[in-house]
Amino acid sequence: MKGLENFSSMVASMASHAGVTAFAQSEKVRSLFRKRAERAAYEYIIEENEDRRPITVQKEKLRIMLNLTETAFKRVEEGLYSKSVIRHGIDIFVNEVLFSPKGKTKKVIDDFVARYGRRPPGFLVIGPTKKCNLHCKGCYASANSKTAETIPFSILDRIITEKTELWGSHYTTWVGGEPTVYRSEGKNILDIAEKHQDNMFLMYTNGVLINKAMAKRMGELGNVVPQVSVEGFEKETDARRGKGVFKRILRAFENMREEGVPFGIAITPMRHNAELLSSDEFIDFYFEQQKATLAWVFQYMPIGRGYSLDLMITPEQRLRLLDREREILWDKKLFDVDFWNSGPIGSGCIAAGRSDGYFYIDWNGKVMPCPYYQFSPVNIFDVYKNGGTLNDVYAQPFFEAIRKWQDEYAYRREGDETGNWLRPCPIRDHHKIALEKIEKYGAEPEDEATEQWLYDEEVHKGLIEFDEEIEKLLDPYWEKIYLKGERVDPDPRLPFTSSKVPELELRFNE
């Protein structure tokens, strides 16, 4: 395709020092880059559509990509990204992550497909340490300041090297515990980022330790993008995370803006705060005033320390949140992705090593489908001791069974035969399925809190009832909007007054 070829050539030239300087300083260069990127994305996602996804699904994928591009360009124009950030964004994120692989990466992926019959995982989610400087209510990781559970630096280094060499993966996500407190073999978490300049690192963090020195190093490295957890404003954030945390987060934002570090926010909608976290006041504060680039939404999952069904949003709140998030996507044109409600954007559940998806590795080396599906069939430390690699992890029957369910539910179905990706998650939206896989394959709970959860009949009963209700609410929404491209009937429960498929506004057509 001509548009993709032209854009690839431009990306190759832009990765140089001169190209980055021109990009940062010239509006004309940025405008041309933007138009070619949009044309390439349209060809790749809408016209090519190699997996034959429903067209509305593809339009949302293109819209979210354009939203991220628009905000990123705005931040460049505001002088909020360092030159190193711009270079890595072009060279790694655009060149290696967004579009079809090329060169060495393509060969690695082709070799994997020849061996396993599908594309490899696209990234890893890693909890490098369980240690945390805070003690937040309802922490899914049950993290604390006293634990010594940490992946040795040498093992962490090997994991990143191996996933890049075996899977062609150039993207890694850090979760907690708290990544900024990681220490091992005299190294910290930014030393990994420095050693692996061919990877982009998304780091979920409470943010309170991002002082001027740490922000300066991030800006110089250019391949670390922090996502700071907030619960709302000062009252809500301090209530869950501790007095004074919100003000320390605002200082971290200031430090990152000054040093040209892109950052986002991570939020956890619960029964008491779901409306606040999707309100105009909240969105405008973090995107317009604090200059966040993106937002990630993790609906509260009753697992981990002090898990409670009473904190989980109700089925009707889930529907309202979905509808509101589509308004943020289409009207506000922001990158606001919910790991449940934005299922269509990721083609459903991306856990368990699905093609272009991920595994989760915790601080003890346990490999799990995801941070919320806390059951492990294998430990990476044991795999390495026995002479294995990440491909031995990939081949575990427990993970393969989950991938098979993903395929049969929706991932390998085409067009209007695709299952409902608005309820994509096995552990949350298809709870019976998750329990069946755990029992059949004998996957071990991550810790004592997860073991307690496993035998808690009340929590399973509540989750199954939740699933039954959201099926009734979300299946008609999926069928009308995503499979038929029709407006849903007026519903007073929904805040988005035009719940349909809006038309794409494309810059390259201007």
Side-chain angles (χ1 to χ4, degrees):
M1 289 187 172
K2 191 67 174 175
L4 196 52
E5 291 174 3
N6 288 340
F7 183 63
S8 295
S9 297
M10 188 174 192
V11 167
S13 66
M14 291 300 299
S16 67
H17 176 76
V20 169
T21 300
F23 184 91
Q25 297 179 352
S26 171
E27 192 280 331
K28 188 174 291 186
V29 170
R30 290 195 298 273
S31 179
L32 179 60
F33 187 95
R34 188 180 300 179
K35 286 185 178 182
R36 288 192 178 177
E38 187 178 281
R39 172 78 253 186
Y42 183 83
E43 289 181 357
Y44 184 64
I45 296 171
I46 303 295
E47 294 181 345
E48 186 173 331
N49 190 10
E50 63 177 355
D51 294 319
R52 298 189 179 183
R53 305 304 188 200
I55 190 60
T56 301
V57 167
Q58 297 304 96
K59 285 182 177 180
E60 286 206 350
K61 289 178 183 178
L62 180 57
R63 183 71 263 164
I64 199 69
M65 185 183 294
L66 297 181
N67 290 358
L68 180 58
T69 302
E70 290 296 317
T71 303
F73 272 70
K74 185 177 180 181
R75 299 292 177 257
V76 170
E77 289 159 5
E78 292 168 330
L80 296 178
Y81 288 177
S82 72
K83 286 187 178 181
S84 185
V85 164
I86 295 171
R87 180 175 64 81
H88 279 89
I90 294 170
D91 196 30
I92 300 175
F93 185 69
V94 175
N95 204 27
E96 298 286 3
V97 177
L98 283 186
F99 296 108
S100 296
K102 297 171 281 295
K104 181 180 178 181
T105 299
K106 183 178 187 305
K107 183 181 185 309
V108 169
I109 292 175
D110 288 346
D111 288 347
F112 189 96
V113 172
R115 180 175 179 182
Y116 294 102
R118 65 173 76 206
R119 294 189 303 275
F123 64 106
L124 285 174
V125 173
I126 305 175
T129 182
K130 190 175 183 179
K131 186 172 288 189
C132 184
N133 53 319
L134 300 183
H135 195 273
C136 305
K137 298 173 184 176
C139 174
Y140 79 90
S142 302
N144 61 77
S145 62
K146 298 178 180 178
T147 180
E149 297 163 277
T150 296
I151 301 177
F153 185 89
S154 54
I155 298 295
L156 206 51
D157 178 34
R158 178 175 175 179
I159 290 170
I160 304 300
T161 299
E162 215 169 68
K163 78 173 187 63
T164 306
E165 293 178 350
L166 294 178
W167 299 343
S169 165
H170 294 268
Y171 169 57
T172 305
T173 294
W174 302 128
V175 296
E178 170 52 42
T180 60
V181 305
Y182 176 83
R183 298 291 185 277
S184 173
E185 301 172 9
K187 304 287 187 179
N188 62 39
I189 202 67
L190 296 185
D191 291 322
I192 279 283
E194 183 172 3
K195 188 166 185 181
H196 294 274
Q197 287 279 292
D198 59 351
N199 268 253
M200 290 293 292
F201 294 90
L202 197 74
M203 180 173 70
Y204 289 99
T205 172
N206 58 48
V208 301
L209 298 180
I210 302 178
N211 56 22
K212 290 183 181 297
M214 184 179 290
K216 185 174 189 297
R217 191 176 180 202
M218 288 178 184
E220 291 169 348
L221 289 172
N223 63 338
V224 179
V225 184
Q227 310 301 301
V228 181
S229 298
V230 295
E231 310 301 329
F233 298 104
E234 185 170 18
K235 176 184 174 183
E236 297 81 16
T237 299
D238 285 4
R240 186 181 185 204
R241 298 184 173 271
K243 186 173 177 58
V245 167
F246 182 75
K247 289 179 179 176
R248 295 174 73 183
I249 287 172
L250 295 188
R251 284 199 293 273
F253 287 161
E254 182 179 1
N255 293 336
M256 289 188 283
R257 288 193 299 267
E258 288 179 354
E259 297 297 338
V261 180
F263 63 87
I265 57 171
I267 61 177
T268 304
M270 301 184 194
R271 194 164 301 181
H272 65 280
N273 70 354
E275 284 72 22
L276 171 66
L277 296 181
S278 58
S279 67
D280 282 341
E281 180 187 16
F282 177 86
I283 295 296
D284 292 345
F285 176 78
Y286 286 100
F287 278 94
E288 298 303 321
Q289 295 185 42
Q290 297 303 316
K291 304 300 183 181
T293 295
L294 61 171
W296 299 97
V297 183
F298 300 90
Q299 297 173 30
Y300 174 77
M301 173 68 188
I303 197 165
R305 182 168 58 225
Y307 63 82
S308 170
L309 288 170
D310 293 336
L311 294 175
M312 187 169 69
I313 62 175
T314 67
E316 284 201 358
Q317 281 182 307
R318 167 90 167 252
L319 176 61
R320 289 199 299 273
L321 184 61
L322 162 66
D323 208 57
R324 169 61 175 156
E325 286 166 344
R326 293 191 71 246
E327 184 175 26
I328 294 168
L329 171 73
W330 287 100
D331 288 0
K332 287 187 172 289
K333 293 183 171 57
L334 295 171
F335 186 101
D336 182 77
V337 171
D338 182 325
F339 273 76
W340 285 270
N341 285 346
S342 301
I345 290 171
S347 296
C349 171
I350 60 175
R354 198 205 75 185
S355 296
D356 307 317
Y358 72 95
F359 290 110
Y360 167 52
I361 303 177
D362 82 352
W363 35 83
N364 288 316
K366 292 182 178 180
V367 188
M368 290 163 273
C370 86
Y372 300 101
Y373 200 157
Q374 297 177 354
F375 292 86
S376 172
V378 66
N379 190 299
I380 191 64
F381 300 164
D382 295 334
V383 170
Y384 285 165
K385 285 177 184 176
N386 294 324
T389 70
L390 283 173
N391 282 346
D392 295 291
V393 171
Y394 178 85
Q396 288 290 316
F398 177 59
F399 297 138
E400 179 57 34
I402 296 171
R403 293 193 292 266
K404 183 180 179 183
W405 174 81
Q406 293 166 337
D407 287 348
E408 293 173 350
Y409 177 66
Y411 190 66
R412 294 210 170 179
R413 294 167 67 181
E414 298 180 353
D416 60 9
E417 296 298 315
T418 306
N420 187 352
W421 278 331
L422 297 177
R423 46 188 193 92
C425 175
I427 192 73
R428 172 74 174 277
D429 301 334
H430 304 269
H431 195 65
K432 287 182 181 178
I433 298 292
L435 294 178
E436 288 170 4
K437 304 300 183 202
I438 293 165
E439 182 178 2
K440 180 175 180 180
Y441 294 95
E444 296 181 357
E446 180 178 31
D447 53 25
E448 290 182 5
T450 307
E451 185 172 17
Q452 177 185 344
W453 177 92
L454 179 61
Y455 297 106
D456 189 331
E457 294 300 326
E458 284 301 309
V459 77
H460 300 311
K461 179 173 179 285
L463 284 167
I464 290 168
E465 289 175 354
F466 177 90
D467 291 353
E468 292 169 349
E469 287 301 310
I470 63 163
E471 181 178 359
K472 295 174 187 174
L473 288 172
L474 297 187
D475 278 11
Y477 198 103
W478 168 258
E479 285 183 29
K480 277 210 165 188
I481 293 178
Y482 289 86
L483 299 186
K484 297 180 180 178
E486 299 175 356
R487 181 193 296 268
V488 297
D489 297 330
D491 188 330
R493 294 172 300 183
L494 303 182
F496 189 12
T497 55
S498 57
S499 293
K500 59 177 182 177
V501 184
E503 293 298 316
L504 284 165
E505 299 167 6
L506 300 171
R507 189 180 299 268
F508 70 81
N509 284 334
E510 295 174 358

